[in-house]
């Protein structure tokens, strides 16, 4: 499972969206005011331009939230996998120590 998760992380990195900040006005104020040309609605400015800019920002915030949630889930899976491996290794260590103890008793009783 860890190899599957690490291969997913290696070949399909999560791309987090960044919030853009530009000077010269607010988003949706028209062409050249807050990011240049963004289509006919945003070029016109006014309420519709501002609404479109707000929807765009909301979309990227939601996308970033989804990506972070997915990354968190993947990391929790990794932690669970490694904790399971730790338990298995600890059980193997305990088993080998018991075998060493039995062998030590056998070799000690043979010399008496």
């Amino acid at each position: 499972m860890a190899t599957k998760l690490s291969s997913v992380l290696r070949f399909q990195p999560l791309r987090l969206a960044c919030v853009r900040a530009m000077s010269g006005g607010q988003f949706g104020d028209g062409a050249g005011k807050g990011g240049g040309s963004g289509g006919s609605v945003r070029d016109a400015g006014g309420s519709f331009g501002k609404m479109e800019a707000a929807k765009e920002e909301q979309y990227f915030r939601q996308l970033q939230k989804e990506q972070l949630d997915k990354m968190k889930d993947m990391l929790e899976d990794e932690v669970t996998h490694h904790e399971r491996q730790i338990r298995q290794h600890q059980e193997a260590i305990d088993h080998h120590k018991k075998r060493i103890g039995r062998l030590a008793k056998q070799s000690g009783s043979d010399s008496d």
Side-chain angles (χ1 to χ4, degrees):
M1 175 150 188
T3 56
K4 179 182 174 187
L5 288 175
S6 63
S7 66
V8 168
L9 290 174
R10 187 177 325 115
F11 294 114
Q12 297 176 353
L14 296 174
R15 293 183 178 95
L16 301 177
C18 298
V19 176
R20 295 166 285 148
M22 298 183 185
S23 61
Q26 296 189 10
F27 291 122
D29 279 349
K33 300 178 185 171
S37 180
S40 60
V41 172
R42 286 184 70 179
D43 284 344
S47 302
F48 287 114
K50 289 180 183 178
M51 182 178 64
E52 185 67 27
K55 284 183 179 180
E56 182 180 331
E57 291 300 316
Q58 180 183 11
Y59 168 78
F60 283 111
R61 281 194 302 273
Q62 180 64 32
L63 180 64
Q64 184 178 23
K65 181 185 178 303
E66 290 171 3
Q67 290 172 335
L68 288 172
D69 289 343
K70 184 176 180 179
M71 181 184 286
K72 181 183 173 197
D73 291 341
M74 289 175 67
L75 289 173
E76 286 174 352
D77 288 345
E78 282 276 331
V79 168
T80 303
H81 170 75
H82 289 296
E83 287 173 342
R84 189 178 314 118
Q85 278 188 327
I86 289 170
R87 280 194 305 274
Q88 290 173 345
H89 287 268
Q90 191 60 49
E91 289 170 1
I93 289 170
D94 293 340
H95 175 73
H96 291 308
K97 284 183 177 180
K98 287 178 184 176
R99 286 185 67 193
I100 289 171
R102 285 195 301 263
L103 290 173
K105 284 182 183 178
Q106 287 177 353
S107 65
S109 64
D110 289 344
S111 63
D112 288 338

